[in-house]
Amino acid sequence: MLGLQPAIEYHLFQSEAVSIYTGGMISFSSYSAKSEVPDVDEVTLSSSSLGFGALLGAEFYPWKNVSFAAEYQLGFASGSGKYDDGTDEVEGPKASMKGINTVGVTVAFHFK
């Protein structure tokens, strides 16, 4: 399983210990699994998805180079899967998702 979600943040307001930001992100995920059972063909399941979204969040700096953040993500993602058991290969299911996601607490270490 692999998931990547790079984002760009633009900080709108910053006081001494708090920063409010917005930004954008893209996401990619890939999943693959194989099952080998004696006297049976190998079964492979795989899927992938691609998405994008907008961010709105706040960062709290309890120390100079450490921050905690919480954010909302509004986004869209689309993906598909494949099943292969050695005899049959089936494409699908295909799915599209859109919605609002809240991200719990994120810890960041800042280096200059």
Side-chain angles (χ1 to χ4, degrees):
M1 178 178 277
L2 172 70
L4 300 172
Q5 190 174 12
I8 294 176
E9 297 176 0
Y10 177 75
H11 291 257
L12 303 168
F13 169 78
Q14 187 164 359
S15 69
E16 245 183 70
V18 177
S19 180
I20 306 297
Y21 65 89
T22 187
M25 60 105 184
I26 59 172
S27 64
F28 171 77
S29 67
S30 178
Y31 171 80
S32 181
K34 290 183 182 181
S35 175
E36 296 181 20
V37 179
D39 300 327
V40 177
D41 289 335
E42 181 179 88
V43 175
T44 303
L45 299 170
S46 61
S47 67
S48 62
S49 70
L50 183 63
F52 61 90
L55 312 173
L56 179 62
E59 253 181 306
F60 170 67
Y61 294 85
W63 301 283
K64 183 178 178 181
N65 294 330
V66 177
S67 69
F68 296 98
E71 68 186 28
Y72 285 100
Q73 298 177 348
L74 173 62
F76 173 82
S78 180
S80 64
K82 183 170 35 171
Y83 170 84
D84 184 1
D85 64 7
T87 305
D88 297 317
E89 185 174 307
V90 179
E91 293 286 331
K94 293 183 179 183
S96 295
M97 300 167 280
K98 57 187 170 191
I100 297 174
N101 184 31
T102 58
V103 176
V105 176
T106 302
V107 178
F109 300 94
H110 304 269
F111 301 99
K112 293 182 182 182

